[in-house]
Amino acid sequence: MKFLGALFLAATASAHYTFPALVAGGSTTGAWQYVRKTTNYQSNGPVTDVTSNQIRCYELSPGTPAQGTYEVAAGSTIGFTAQSSITHPGTLQFYMAKAPSGQTAASWDGSGNVWFKIFEQGPTITAKGLSWPSQDKSQVTVPIPKSLPSGEYLFRVEHIALHSAATAGGAQFYISCAQVKVTGGGSGTPGPLVSFPGAYKATDPGIMLNIYYPIPTSYTPPGPKVWSG
Ligand SMILES: [Cu+2]
């Protein structure tokens, strides 16, 4: 039993993942059709350096857009597929950033103090330990805030795997950015705004922690507060 347990742990620890496609309205787009191809599209491996430019969108070839920009109505639900599933425990977050005038979601690199968070999902904490709602999911979704102004955005998913996060640099960031065009939006002012890199430090309490022992009594996801619209 002990031996089988060790084998199982070894297998799951190497099972990294990607977020290659969008899901909306019950259907799934093609892989890397609206999502910029990530550096880990073959290896499935994570970003571990929060100061690297890769922490923004994990792009294989920065400057190379995805094939298309996906149209989505404000207030509707959209998300990403996880290939083949989110095998690690950790926190799930979604961010967006609006392409400045003169740029499109396809042309823009997402640099600057431009990103706001629209969703964060920490663990359920019990005396037995932490459980993470996104774990083992093969897709994750979020409602686009209804008051988000119409326009072109980068839409970023981030899953921070925390199984080996007890030391700085141990957390594993799985990231993708999609190009979207929001329609029927409102007149909200998203914020607070942060940059990637810049938003995180390797020692942030939501990034560097032992999730197993002693069992944490609270968890604070890294980055800015969620903009609720
Ligand atoms: Cu992994």
Side-chain angles (χ1 to χ4, degrees):
M1 248 353 254
K2 209 167 197 177
F3 177 67
L4 282 174
L7 267 184
F8 177 73
L9 277 176
T12 53
S14 61
H16 305 309
Y17 35 98
T18 59
F19 295 102
L22 288 176
V23 288
S27 60
T28 301
T29 69
W32 315 117
Q33 188 179 0
Y34 301 100
V35 179
R36 293 184 180 174
K37 197 175 233 184
T38 52
T39 303
N40 68 340
Y41 82 102
Q42 286 174 315
S43 74
N44 299 335
V47 182
T48 55
D49 179 0
V50 299
T51 67
S52 150
N53 273 329
Q54 292 273 281
I55 201 74
R56 187 184 305 148
C57 288
Y58 209 179
E59 287 176 70
L60 177 67
S61 316
T64 306
Q67 295 158 33
T69 297
Y70 190 86
E71 203 168 297
V72 59
S76 69
T77 293
I78 189 170
F80 289 81
T81 60
Q83 183 66 35
S84 53
S85 69
I86 296 175
T87 49
H88 295 310
T91 195
L92 173 71
Q93 314 205 80
F94 290 100
Y95 288 81
M96 296 183 80
K98 191 168 197 286
S101 66
Q103 296 267 13
T104 63
S107 71
W108 188 42
D109 67 0
S111 60
N113 233 35
V114 292
W115 294 91
F116 54 94
K117 190 192 285 183
I118 59 168
F119 181 86
E120 65 185 20
Q121 187 182 58
T124 302
I125 301 178
T126 70
K128 287 185 176 157
L130 274 47
S131 64
W132 303 85
S134 58
Q135 191 163 9
D136 299 326
K137 293 282 191 302
S138 55
Q139 49 179 255
V140 287
T141 61
V142 66
I144 301 289
K146 212 157 172 36
S147 62
L148 186 69
S150 298
E152 299 212 353
Y153 289 81
L154 294 176
F155 171 48
R156 177 180 179 276
V157 62
E158 171 184 85
H159 189 262
I160 310 174
L162 296 170
H163 55 293
S164 55
T167 54
Q172 302 183 350
F173 293 76
Y174 296 88
I175 298 160
S176 275
C177 290
Q179 299 164 188
V180 299
K181 178 180 183 169
V182 174
T183 60
S187 55
T189 307
L193 300 175
V194 297
S195 66
F196 288 107
Y200 300 159
K201 293 197 300 291
T203 53
D204 283 347
I207 293 175
M208 191 180 86
L209 76 160
N210 185 328
I211 58 169
Y212 299 110
Y213 189 83
I215 295 169
T217 54
S218 68
Y219 177 80
T220 306
K225 282 197 300 198
V226 171
W227 180 66
S228 52

PDB file of all heavy atoms in Angstrom, residues 12-17 87-88 163 172 174, ligand 1:
ATOM      1  N   THR A  12       1.043  11.888 -10.057  1.00  0.00           N
ATOM      2  CA  THR A  12       0.246  13.114 -10.088  1.00  0.00           C
ATOM      3  C   THR A  12       1.143  14.352 -10.041  1.00  0.00           C
ATOM      4  O   THR A  12       0.810  15.359 -10.631  1.00  0.00           O
ATOM      5  CB  THR A  12      -0.762  13.160  -8.918  1.00  0.00           C
ATOM      6  OG1 THR A  12      -0.052  12.938  -7.716  1.00  0.00           O
ATOM      7  CG2 THR A  12      -1.850  12.148  -9.097  1.00  0.00           C
ATOM      8  N   ALA A  13       2.283  14.247  -9.379  1.00  0.00           N
ATOM      9  CA  ALA A  13       3.160  15.413  -9.270  1.00  0.00           C
ATOM     10  C   ALA A  13       3.685  15.839 -10.636  1.00  0.00           C
ATOM     11  O   ALA A  13       3.956  17.010 -10.866  1.00  0.00           O
ATOM     12  CB  ALA A  13       4.319  15.116  -8.328  1.00  0.00           C
ATOM     13  N   SER A  14       3.816  14.885 -11.562  1.00  0.00           N
ATOM     14  CA  SER A  14       4.362  15.241 -12.874  1.00  0.00           C
ATOM     15  C   SER A  14       3.263  15.611 -13.868  1.00  0.00           C
ATOM     16  O   SER A  14       3.532  15.992 -14.982  1.00  0.00           O
ATOM     17  CB  SER A  14       5.188  14.084 -13.425  1.00  0.00           C
ATOM     18  OG  SER A  14       4.354  12.966 -13.563  1.00  0.00           O
ATOM     19  N   ALA A  15       2.011  15.453 -13.452  1.00  0.00           N
ATOM     20  CA  ALA A  15       0.910  15.700 -14.382  1.00  0.00           C
ATOM     21  C   ALA A  15       0.564  17.186 -14.394  1.00  0.00           C
ATOM     22  O   ALA A  15      -0.378  17.617 -13.746  1.00  0.00           O
ATOM     23  CB  ALA A  15      -0.299  14.856 -13.993  1.00  0.00           C
ATOM     24  N   HIS A  16       1.362  17.950 -15.124  1.00  0.00           N
ATOM     25  CA  HIS A  16       1.096  19.380 -15.255  1.00  0.00           C
ATOM     26  C   HIS A  16      -0.064  19.599 -16.234  1.00  0.00           C
ATOM     27  O   HIS A  16      -0.634  18.654 -16.749  1.00  0.00           O
ATOM     28  CB  HIS A  16       2.339  20.091 -15.776  1.00  0.00           C
ATOM     29  CG  HIS A  16       3.566  19.859 -14.968  1.00  0.00           C
ATOM     30  ND1 HIS A  16       3.641  20.019 -13.611  1.00  0.00           N
ATOM     31  CD2 HIS A  16       4.817  19.520 -15.357  1.00  0.00           C
ATOM     32  CE1 HIS A  16       4.868  19.774 -13.202  1.00  0.00           C
ATOM     33  NE2 HIS A  16       5.599  19.465 -14.226  1.00  0.00           N
ATOM     34  N   TYR A  17      -0.344  20.888 -16.530  1.00  0.00           N
ATOM     35  CA  TYR A  17      -1.511  21.153 -17.378  1.00  0.00           C
ATOM     36  C   TYR A  17      -1.404  22.488 -18.101  1.00  0.00           C
ATOM     37  O   TYR A  17      -0.542  23.326 -17.783  1.00  0.00           O
ATOM     38  CB  TYR A  17      -2.809  21.105 -16.556  1.00  0.00           C
ATOM     39  CG  TYR A  17      -2.689  21.634 -15.137  1.00  0.00           C
ATOM     40  CD1 TYR A  17      -3.082  22.935 -14.810  1.00  0.00           C
ATOM     41  CD2 TYR A  17      -2.157  20.839 -14.124  1.00  0.00           C
ATOM     42  CE1 TYR A  17      -2.962  23.404 -13.508  1.00  0.00           C
ATOM     43  CE2 TYR A  17      -2.027  21.312 -12.827  1.00  0.00           C
ATOM     44  CZ  TYR A  17      -2.427  22.596 -12.527  1.00  0.00           C
ATOM     45  OH  TYR A  17      -2.283  23.065 -11.241  1.00  0.00           O
ATOM     46  N   THR A  87      -4.617  19.120 -12.010  1.00  0.00           N
ATOM     47  CA  THR A  87      -4.259  17.966 -11.174  1.00  0.00           C
ATOM     48  C   THR A  87      -3.677  18.364  -9.821  1.00  0.00           C
ATOM     49  O   THR A  87      -3.503  17.509  -8.957  1.00  0.00           O
ATOM     50  CB  THR A  87      -3.242  17.082 -11.900  1.00  0.00           C
ATOM     51  OG1 THR A  87      -2.194  17.916 -12.398  1.00  0.00           O
ATOM     52  CG2 THR A  87      -3.887  16.334 -13.039  1.00  0.00           C
ATOM     53  N   HIS A  88      -3.349  19.636  -9.659  1.00  0.00           N
ATOM     54  CA  HIS A  88      -2.711  20.050  -8.407  1.00  0.00           C
ATOM     55  C   HIS A  88      -3.665  20.865  -7.529  1.00  0.00           C
ATOM     56  O   HIS A  88      -4.563  21.527  -8.052  1.00  0.00           O
ATOM     57  CB  HIS A  88      -1.480  20.906  -8.688  1.00  0.00           C
ATOM     58  CG  HIS A  88      -0.378  20.184  -9.382  1.00  0.00           C
ATOM     59  ND1 HIS A  88       0.110  18.972  -8.970  1.00  0.00           N
ATOM     60  CD2 HIS A  88       0.350  20.524 -10.474  1.00  0.00           C
ATOM     61  CE1 HIS A  88       1.090  18.593  -9.769  1.00  0.00           C
ATOM     62  NE2 HIS A  88       1.260  19.510 -10.703  1.00  0.00           N
ATOM     63  N   HIS A 163       1.250  22.662  -4.009  1.00  0.00           N
ATOM     64  CA  HIS A 163       1.657  21.415  -3.340  1.00  0.00           C
ATOM     65  C   HIS A 163       3.116  21.441  -2.910  1.00  0.00           C
ATOM     66  O   HIS A 163       3.504  20.687  -2.040  1.00  0.00           O
ATOM     67  CB  HIS A 163       1.380  20.213  -4.246  1.00  0.00           C
ATOM     68  CG  HIS A 163       2.014  20.306  -5.598  1.00  0.00           C
ATOM     69  ND1 HIS A 163       1.617  21.251  -6.517  1.00  0.00           N
ATOM     70  CD2 HIS A 163       2.998  19.597  -6.178  1.00  0.00           C
ATOM     71  CE1 HIS A 163       2.341  21.099  -7.611  1.00  0.00           C
ATOM     72  NE2 HIS A 163       3.185  20.107  -7.434  1.00  0.00           N
ATOM     73  N   GLN A 172       3.692  26.786  -8.367  1.00  0.00           N
ATOM     74  CA  GLN A 172       3.679  26.575  -9.813  1.00  0.00           C
ATOM     75  C   GLN A 172       2.513  27.334 -10.429  1.00  0.00           C
ATOM     76  O   GLN A 172       1.356  27.069 -10.107  1.00  0.00           O
ATOM     77  CB  GLN A 172       3.549  25.083 -10.137  1.00  0.00           C
ATOM     78  CG  GLN A 172       4.666  24.234  -9.546  1.00  0.00           C
ATOM     79  CD  GLN A 172       4.543  22.774  -9.943  1.00  0.00           C
ATOM     80  OE1 GLN A 172       3.537  22.351 -10.514  1.00  0.00           O
ATOM     81  NE2 GLN A 172       5.576  21.994  -9.644  1.00  0.00           N
ATOM     82  N   TYR A 174       0.211  28.186 -13.556  1.00  0.00           N
ATOM     83  CA  TYR A 174      -0.301  27.738 -14.850  1.00  0.00           C
ATOM     84  C   TYR A 174      -1.187  28.852 -15.385  1.00  0.00           C
ATOM     85  O   TYR A 174      -2.155  29.247 -14.719  1.00  0.00           O
ATOM     86  CB  TYR A 174      -1.065  26.425 -14.689  1.00  0.00           C
ATOM     87  CG  TYR A 174      -0.166  25.305 -14.214  1.00  0.00           C
ATOM     88  CD1 TYR A 174       0.036  25.081 -12.852  1.00  0.00           C
ATOM     89  CD2 TYR A 174       0.528  24.530 -15.120  1.00  0.00           C
ATOM     90  CE1 TYR A 174       0.897  24.088 -12.414  1.00  0.00           C
ATOM     91  CE2 TYR A 174       1.390  23.530 -14.694  1.00  0.00           C
ATOM     92  CZ  TYR A 174       1.569  23.312 -13.338  1.00  0.00           C
ATOM     93  OH  TYR A 174       2.428  22.334 -12.911  1.00  0.00           O
TER      94      TYR A 174
HETATM   95 CU    CU B   1       2.467  19.700 -12.241  1.00  0.00          CU
END
